[in-house]
Amino acid sequence: MQGQSDKMVQLLTPEGVRVEHDDFEFTGTTEDLTGFLRDMVMARRFDTEATALQRHGELGLWPPVLGQEASQVGSARALLGHDVVFPTYREHAVAMCLGVPMSQILGLFRGCDAGEWEMLERFRNYQIIIGSQTLHATGYAMGLQYDGMVGNPDPADNAMVVAYHGDGASSQGDVNESYVFAASYNAPVVFFCQNNQYAISEPIALQSRIPLFQRAQGFGFPGIQVDGNDVLAVHATSEWAFNRARNGEGPAFIEAFTYRMGAHTTSDDPSKYRRDAETEEWRGRDPIARLTTYLRNEGAVDDAFLSALDAEAKDYGASIRASIATLTDKTMDEQFRTVYAEESVALEEQRREYADYLATFEENA
Amino acid sequence: MSETLTLAKALNRGLRRALQADPKVLLAGEDIGKLGGVFRITENLQAEFGENRVIDSPLAESGIVGTAVGLAMRGYRPVVEIQFDGFVFPGFDQIVTQVAKLHARTSGRVKMPMVIRIPYGGGVGAIEHHSESPEGYFVHTPGLKVVTCSSPNDAYWMIQQAISSDDPVVFLEPKRRYHAKGQVNFSARPQPMHQAGVLRHGTDLTVLAYGPMVRTCLDAAELAAEEGVSLEVIDLRTLSPIDWVTITASVRRTRRAIVVHEAQRTLGVGAEIAARLHKDLFYVMESPVLRVTGYDTPYPPSKIEDEFLPSVDRIMDAVDASLAY
């Protein structure tokens, strides 16, 4: 596989077999792993429902997370209470793990609002401009540092920031600038790059001639590549990088080597630029299948557990479909009123102009 | 209590006072620490407030603005310095797609109390990209506020008002007036930031200007007075929002208006003012709003910049044309 390093960290093979690694081990319990399986199954169900909602005209667009569940669940489950996430527009499974009300994520793609969910302090706004959020994450991390929330003896007093970005973003100026700023100020930020092999149609080889994780060294902080479809390895490497950042040891870069099983968005047609054989090969590395196999072999889950989980996912899917009806559209009045924090006389004039225009319809009615 | 200061020194004092008043205020930019900035606006501030409050940034304007977004999200009030007008464009994306929109797109859940300081304008014999007037781009962008000072007193107060604003403010500093001196009154209640100022009262025609052109227009008014023509000179001060109340009150009286700015003409601030005055005062005005501006060329090499920039003579020509209507 192009771009895959022989140093890639893997703790669970695609066949569902645990393997040892010299530097990393999964610190959680089998119970934790069962929880991760549940997270991934629910995230996939949410994603399936959202894709279907787009097909039914309920959403304008949907960017599926299909295939990347382990990268997102493994990293999100390594977050602690004060940590803050700066996502792209595809971190649905991270949002779910943090407890963001998922119908609110749909609001952005339905066109009800521009993404203003509860918990915005913890799980920041989705970012459409590729890579912009990496600078925001770095600035926020500098702020944590100035606030003395790094390197304290009690780990509960510490915090860090995760900047999610993709392989395409690695070509953006902002992303490279964020690496420079993070390194220069030793900011507590971890760049978590999901290399899902494609930026819409463009393969990773167009963005980078070397494996992405090797770039980190040039910026002066450690970079590692992890099997992004292995939730154990993702969790272990995330825990390591996150702890370093919280302890004041500075930024780190994780390249989660994964695959976008679906389209870039519901407007995309992957058959134009990638072979079915390739997608099939990656299907053999599915993150949910391998963890299920492992837990089954361990005796941690059985048919009864899995069918109960399946039923739970179906109910969850139904609740997501139903939640669409609860979303409300932002009004033009709110649009006028929320441009500025402080009153703007000039804009207030336009707001009244529009209100007067609307009023002409009421008079005629 | 007042003191005579240069505009540059007044900004320095205003920044110092803002840093003293609020521990959340941070300054960031290229060379602003040890060096005190290429124009020395932040001189001695790092020594007084430390490297975590007066931050030397890597040489990347998008990085400076983008990290300031994150700092603002964390509760800080970052004041970033763009070294020269022509260097703002690498940071333009962060300013228009992020800084300007975050409040609206989160329906007010995220505030962006950020100030982006930009020394701007020409007339200093500089090499290319050091003499530009980019205000039009920012005025055209919803979510930003845009102000510019023309005197040391305004510099001292307006920078503090911009910093205490909960909205992002593009703060344009007229670099060719940095060394102009004036009285700064530290105790009098300052004029509100989003209000224009009538600097000279007149009866025949209103001259609307801002930033570096205010001095030029006052000189023109002096000359006109010798010729028996009474010009009212208004310093706009705030370009977004524009203070229509002050402007229309003046033009309603004088019934003639000229807008003067260094920035290129097409779709500049003057165009908006002309459109507005024609809408509001169509039956009052004796002549169309005239514009005296930079031409629609790139800013020229410095040997010929005086031909590009509005001058007292060009302003006087416009006055004659307006009065002859």
Side-chain angles (χ1 to χ4, degrees):
Chain A
M1 198 67 66
Q2 183 167 13
Q4 181 177 324
S5 162
D6 54 8
K7 296 196 180 80
M8 182 174 82
V9 180
Q10 189 180 66
L11 299 176
L12 185 68
T13 69
E15 295 74 33
V17 178
R18 284 282 285 264
V19 288
E20 296 290 318
H21 190 278
D22 289 343
D23 300 319
F24 295 96
E25 62 169 338
F26 178 67
T27 55
T29 62
T30 304
E31 207 169 46
D32 292 330
L33 287 177
T34 311
F36 294 175
L37 177 66
R38 185 181 169 282
D39 291 336
M40 292 196 289
V41 167
M42 292 299 167
R44 186 167 289 188
R45 173 59 65 163
F46 170 77
D47 193 60
T48 305
E49 292 299 336
T51 301
L53 284 167
Q54 193 281 332
R55 295 293 180 228
H56 284 98
E58 298 285 356
L59 303 181
L61 184 78
W62 183 249
V65 68
L66 184 65
Q68 298 173 223
E69 296 88 348
S71 293
Q72 296 193 11
V73 169
S75 53
R77 288 299 178 199
L79 293 167
L80 298 179
H82 299 306
D83 300 337
V84 175
V85 169
F86 283 75
T88 71
Y89 46 79
R90 205 191 295 277
E91 265 63 72
H92 318 314
V94 178
M96 179 178 282
C97 289
L98 287 176
V100 176
M102 296 305 283
S103 62
Q104 294 175 7
I105 300 277
L106 300 179
L108 168 66
F109 296 97
R110 186 170 165 83
C112 298
D113 56 50
E116 44 191 81
W117 38 82
E118 294 162 39
M119 300 184 56
L120 210 48
E121 297 297 313
R122 186 94 206 281
F123 185 79
R124 308 298 312 198
N125 49 280
Y126 267 4
Q127 184 57 254
I128 306 293
I129 304 293
I130 302 299
S132 292
Q133 77 283 1
T134 57
L135 282 171
H136 308 166
T138 302
Y140 194 99
M142 289 163 64
L144 285 176
Q145 208 169 28
Y146 300 148
D147 290 342
M149 293 184 69
V150 175
N152 297 299
D154 183 351
D157 296 335
N158 295 332
M160 52 78 63
V161 177
V162 190
Y164 284 91
H165 70 74
D167 44 292
S170 69
S171 296
Q172 285 281 5
D174 275 5
V175 175
N176 286 273
E177 289 183 22
S178 71
Y179 298 163
V180 171
F181 278 66
S184 294
Y185 300 118
N186 205 42
V189 55
V190 172
F191 299 100
F192 191 94
C193 171
Q194 288 165 87
N195 174 2
N196 68 11
Q197 312 302 325
Y198 288 93
I200 306 190
S201 69
E202 297 186 342
I204 178 63
L206 191 63
Q207 317 292 346
S208 182
R209 303 300 294 182
I210 57 164
L212 286 175
F213 77 98
Q214 291 181 7
R215 288 193 179 173
Q217 193 188 359
F219 288 93
F221 49 85
I224 49 170
Q225 188 181 58
V226 61
D227 182 343
N229 287 9
D230 170 359
V231 73
L232 285 74
V234 172
H235 188 271
T237 50
S238 298
E239 206 167 52
W240 164 78
F242 296 179
N243 277 330
R244 279 183 86 250
R246 293 185 199 109
N247 291 337
E249 293 168 64
F253 179 92
I254 297 174
E255 178 191 358
F257 199 78
T258 181
Y259 194 75
R260 195 192 73 211
M261 290 299 290
H264 162 68
T265 68
T266 43
S267 300
D268 177 34
D269 175 10
S271 72
K272 296 250 189 222
Y273 54 82
R274 65 186 193 191
R275 296 170 295 111
D276 287 347
E278 179 186 287
T279 315
E280 270 315 301
E281 187 184 345
W282 276 95
R283 204 180 302 281
R285 301 175 168 203
D286 186 85
I288 295 179
R290 79 172 77 173
L291 184 59
T292 307
T293 303
Y294 170 72
L295 289 174
R296 229 189 231 287
N297 291 341
E298 287 291 298
V301 303
D302 55 15
D303 286 345
F305 175 91
L306 291 170
S307 61
L309 182 60
D310 191 44
E312 188 187 351
K314 280 202 176 79
D315 289 347
Y316 176 61
S319 75
I320 289 297
R321 283 196 298 281
S323 75
I324 279 285
T326 68
L327 297 173
T328 53
D329 299 348
K330 190 170 185 174
T331 63
M332 263 317 285
D333 193 65
E334 288 166 335
Q335 184 71 0
F336 281 118
R337 290 177 190 277
T338 56
V339 177
Y340 295 100
E342 296 166 353
E343 192 194 0
S344 167
V345 177
L347 199 53
E348 175 62 13
E349 191 181 281
Q350 290 186 24
R351 188 188 70 78
R352 274 197 246 110
E353 177 187 315
Y354 183 68
D356 289 347
Y357 168 73
L358 284 186
T360 63
F361 292 94
E362 285 165 24
E363 283 161 20
N364 294 339
Chain B
M1 194 182 74
S2 71
E3 201 176 323
T4 302
L5 295 175
T6 62
L7 194 149
K9 193 68 189 168
L11 283 168
N12 178 271
R13 295 277 281 271
L15 289 167
R16 180 164 179 260
R17 196 164 137 171
L19 283 160
Q20 283 170 337
D22 184 352
K24 290 295 184 186
V25 173
L26 302 178
L27 313 189
E30 297 155 8
D31 305 300
I32 70 162
K34 280 199 179 63
L35 182 65
V38 295
F39 291 107
R40 309 292 183 271
I41 305 300
T42 55
E43 194 159 43
N44 296 326
L45 296 179
Q46 190 182 61
E48 182 172 351
F49 296 97
E51 292 182 0
N52 286 355
R53 295 200 61 204
V54 180
I55 305 162
D56 270 324
S57 305
L59 215 162
E61 288 78 11
S62 193
I64 293 168
V65 178
T67 51
V69 169
L71 285 161
M73 286 172 165
R74 181 65 204 162
Y76 285 89
R77 304 183 86 85
V79 182
V80 304
E81 176 176 304
I82 301 295
Q83 201 160 65
F84 281 91
D85 35 52
F87 303 172
V88 71
F89 300 105
F92 194 65
D93 163 55
Q94 283 284 341
I95 296 172
V96 301
T97 65
Q98 309 294 327
V99 175
K101 288 182 178 167
L102 272 159
H103 189 272
R105 67 167 306 213
T106 59
S107 287
R109 308 260 309 271
V110 174
K111 293 190 177 25
M112 275 293 120
M114 182 191 303
V115 176
I116 301 167
R117 293 182 39 237
I118 311 175
Y120 81 119
V124 296
I127 196 166
E128 62 173 345
H129 308 303
H130 290 68
S131 301
E132 310 205 344
S133 298
E135 63 270 22
Y137 302 112
F138 303 114
V139 173
H140 193 66
T141 303
L144 300 177
K145 291 181 170 176
V146 184
V147 301
T148 177
C149 53
S150 70
S151 70
N153 194 62
D154 273 356
Y156 175 76
W157 286 109
M158 288 172 78
I159 189 64
Q160 294 179 65
Q161 291 167 325
I163 292 168
S164 62
S165 170
D166 277 340
D167 289 312
V169 179
V170 175
F171 191 91
L172 297 162
E173 301 171 2
K175 75 166 87 72
R176 74 157 124 164
R177 308 297 180 203
Y178 269 151
H179 302 297
K181 286 184 179 167
Q183 281 283 309
V184 176
N185 190 328
F186 299 107
S187 44
R189 191 183 158 90
Q191 190 182 358
M193 181 167 68
H194 293 301
Q195 197 179 72
V198 181
L199 298 191
R200 182 186 174 111
H201 292 279
T203 53
D204 295 335
L205 186 152
T206 302
V207 180
L208 301 158
Y210 53 88
M213 280 292 110
V214 170
R215 180 70 261 161
T216 312
C217 291
L218 287 170
D219 291 346
E222 200 63 39
L223 194 64
E226 288 171 20
E227 296 175 7
V229 175
S230 169
L231 300 185
E232 178 142 305
V233 179
I234 292 185
D235 179 359
L236 296 182
R237 299 172 83 248
T238 172
L239 305 181
S240 179
I242 291 174
D243 174 13
W244 298 116
V245 173
T246 303
I247 294 172
T248 50
S250 169
V251 178
R252 191 181 292 281
R253 252 187 316 102
T254 63
R255 310 209 278 176
R256 297 175 198 273
I258 295 173
V259 190
V260 183
H261 54 63
E262 289 189 14
Q264 283 83 354
R265 183 174 306 161
T266 301
L267 288 179
V269 169
E272 184 59 32
I273 290 175
R276 176 70 179 224
L277 288 178
H278 288 154
K279 172 185 160 284
D280 287 355
L281 301 177
F282 189 71
Y283 291 108
V284 171
M285 293 188 67
E286 294 285 351
S287 72
V289 175
L290 299 182
R291 289 176 285 170
V292 183
T293 67
Y295 297 107
D296 287 352
T297 72
Y299 195 87
S302 61
K303 289 289 189 193
I304 57 168
E305 68 181 335
D306 288 342
E307 298 181 58
F308 172 90
L309 291 168
S311 59
V312 168
D313 200 52
R314 278 173 61 199
I315 294 166
M316 293 305 287
D317 273 0
V319 169
D320 291 345
S322 181
L323 292 174
Y325 229 85

